[in-house]
Amino acid sequence: MPLLRLPEPYDFELSTERFRAFGPDLANLWTDGALHRVVDRREVRIEQARGGARVEPLDAETRPVVRKLLGGEFELEPFYAWARRDPVLRRLTRLLAGFRPPLAPDPFETLVTSITAQQVSLHSAFAIRNRLIQRFGRRTGQAYSFPAAQRLRRASFDDLVLLGFSRRKAEYVIGLAQSKLDLVGLASLPDEEVKERLVALRGLGEWTADWFLARHLARPRAWPAGDLGLRKAVVAFYPEAGDVRAFGERFEPFQNLTAHYLLTGLRVAPP
């Protein structure tokens, strides 16, 4: 299998931990010791290798998707150098050395996933997401492609309610699928303008917009302060934190990487 080289340091096990933490994800399926994702109607197999990952097939279409999925867009060395001044992050960057937070390659998938996760546990969200993928996605090999907006545009509210969505969330998903907003074009806009355009859509609030900046666009200052999991992680590592959004200023300009290291640290290296 061809080798996709990733910037050092890189720890494949840690960087793919999230794909195993909350149960199977049919669109990013961890099975047989490898990650599987459908790209351009082809199943891509991604497995651990020295210096990066073995990827089959690896070409112009699959390379950017896999690189994003494995967190290759993040620069760790400046973050690690900066983190030495903070005792908590100094410990976490040592214990989680080489962890690159995985990113969601597709903007529409990112937002639908966030809608699915609103006000429910991540285990419940993954179960509902999988039912959506099975019903409206396309299986290729072992993994499924995530349903495209064009496909969900034709779904009915009852279709989604039967899969476990609330009536309101079903309306949000179908409304997003029918929206004229250029989701790909958001990548060229500054953070605040991205947030303004997203929260203008029904059902997309600040929490969703913050995670879009963090997990799709990899914006360095993204800080999803409204996320319950991040709040728990901040309080666990920094009992003195107080207001979590204001506390994020402490991590300027590395709020995004800090958030991911705190969340993952709480799961695999708690204080």
Side-chain angles (χ1 to χ4, degrees), residues 212-268:
F212 186 87
L213 290 170
R215 282 203 173 124
H216 175 61
L217 295 181
R219 296 292 171 87
R221 291 175 170 83
W223 180 248
D227 184 79
L228 180 59
L230 180 59
R231 287 175 177 271
K232 288 181 178 179
V234 170
V235 170
F237 287 105
Y238 299 95
E240 76 283 8
D243 180 78
V244 172
R245 185 165 294 280
F247 196 70
E249 296 176 7
R250 173 188 180 119
F251 308 117
E252 172 74 24
F254 295 104
Q255 285 95 330
N256 192 358
L257 280 168
T258 296
H260 281 98
Y261 270 70
L262 293 176
L263 284 165
T264 301
L266 191 61
R267 288 198 300 271
V268 305

Side-chain angles (χ1 to χ4, degrees), residues 5-240:
R5 293 198 174 276
L6 292 161
E8 294 289 345
Y10 183 73
D11 188 304
F12 185 88
E13 189 75 15
L14 281 172
S15 300
T16 58
E17 180 267 344
R18 190 171 189 274
F19 299 118
R20 301 182 293 277
F22 306 106
D25 174 357
L26 295 181
N28 301 291
L29 184 63
W30 183 270
T31 184
D32 299 329
L35 183 63
H36 299 251
R37 180 168 175 100
V38 178
V39 180
D40 193 29
R41 299 192 177 187
R42 295 174 294 164
E43 185 179 50
V44 180
R45 179 183 173 90
I46 308 160
E47 61 184 48
Q48 186 170 6
R50 183 182 296 275
R54 295 286 179 190
V55 182
E56 181 63 45
L58 181 62
D59 54 34
E61 284 73 35
T62 64
R63 183 183 299 274
V65 174
V66 174
R67 188 172 184 275
K68 194 173 187 73
L69 200 63
L70 297 181
E73 295 181 12
F74 287 106
E75 293 185 21
L76 294 185
E77 289 186 358
F79 172 58
Y80 285 0
W82 171 86
R84 293 191 192 108
R85 71 187 72 177
D86 183 295
V88 169
L89 292 177
R90 184 169 63 243
R91 170 182 173 269
L92 288 179
T93 53
R94 184 180 71 252
L95 294 176
L96 306 180
F99 165 56
R100 293 178 180 274
L103 294 169
D106 180 77
F108 178 72
E109 178 182 350
T110 305
L111 293 173
V112 172
T113 298
S114 288
I115 292 171
T116 306
Q118 290 172 1
Q119 299 178 327
V120 298
S121 72
L122 283 176
H123 288 89
S124 296
F126 269 68
I128 295 170
R129 170 185 155 98
N130 281 338
R131 290 196 288 270
L132 178 74
I133 292 168
Q134 284 182 305
R135 173 67 176 81
F136 292 101
R138 176 179 296 178
R139 186 170 185 176
T140 302
Q142 298 186 77
Y144 286 74
S145 59
F146 192 86
Q150 298 93 313
R151 179 87 166 110
L152 290 180
R153 206 173 286 155
R154 299 191 295 270
S156 71
F157 299 133
D158 289 341
D159 286 335
L160 299 193
V161 169
L162 287 172
L163 299 176
F165 286 83
S166 67
R167 184 81 181 179
R168 183 169 294 179
K169 287 186 181 181
E171 292 172 0
Y172 295 163
V173 169
I174 294 174
L176 175 65
Q178 294 173 343
S179 168
K180 302 299 183 184
L181 180 60
D182 178 8
L183 297 179
V184 174
L186 293 176
S188 65
L189 302 178
D191 291 4
E192 286 308 312
E193 192 167 349
V194 173
K195 292 181 70 170
E196 286 175 12
R197 297 198 183 193
L198 289 177
V199 300
L201 297 176
R202 187 164 181 263
L204 304 187
E206 187 174 34
W207 176 83
T208 300
D210 282 337
W211 275 125
F212 186 87
L213 290 170
R215 282 203 173 124
H216 175 61
L217 295 181
R219 296 292 171 87
R221 291 175 170 83
W223 180 248
D227 184 79
L228 180 59
L230 180 59
R231 287 175 177 271
K232 288 181 178 179
V234 170
V235 170
F237 287 105
Y238 299 95
E240 76 283 8

